[in-house]
Amino acid sequence: MAKTYQYCVAENWGKGFIDHDESFRITFASYPGNVWQVPAYNKHANLWIAKVAGSVKTKDEAQAIVTAEVQAAQATWDALPDDQKTDLNPRPADITLED
């Protein structure tokens, strides 16, 4: 069975945002724009979203947020002088969220 995910927007406040027990029970992925990917149909993930006052988003809504953040970072990079565009400072890549 393929994994399914849900997305939410929640601001990471630091220590305690994801506690040890949650990191053991939930697989997290973070994206630009404070977008978080967690397993769908998962009691622990739903409790975590409530704990962090996350705003649940559809995949399309989450993708729009991530794309806007990436495009802003790309525009900032494009505006850099050529001597600052190096392999150590690559242009931000596009990100596509998983279903």
Side-chain angles (χ1 to χ4, degrees):
M1 181 175 178
K3 289 190 175 200
T4 57
Y5 300 101
Q6 62 182 334
Y7 297 90
C8 74
V9 173
E11 188 169 343
N12 183 343
W13 62 72
K15 187 174 182 176
F17 182 72
I18 299 173
D19 66 30
H20 176 74
D21 186 53
E22 292 161 343
S23 67
F24 178 75
R25 295 176 181 268
I26 307 167
T27 303
F28 294 92
S30 64
Y31 295 96
N34 291 317
V35 173
W36 293 86
Q37 176 194 63
V38 295
Y41 313 111
N42 181 297
K43 173 178 85 171
H44 303 290
N46 291 335
L47 289 170
W48 176 80
I49 291 170
K51 176 189 105 172
V52 299
S55 174
V56 175
K57 302 292 181 189
T58 65
K59 179 184 177 271
D60 290 340
E61 291 169 333
Q63 183 67 64
I65 293 166
V66 170
T67 299
E69 290 288 322
V70 169
Q71 288 175 342
Q74 289 172 338
T76 299
W77 188 90
D78 291 343
L80 290 173
D82 286 340
D83 65 333
Q84 292 183 22
K85 296 176 182 177
T86 66
D87 290 340
L88 297 176
N89 182 22
R91 187 174 194 264
D94 292 332
I95 298 173
T96 303
L97 301 178
E98 300 177 55
D99 284 327

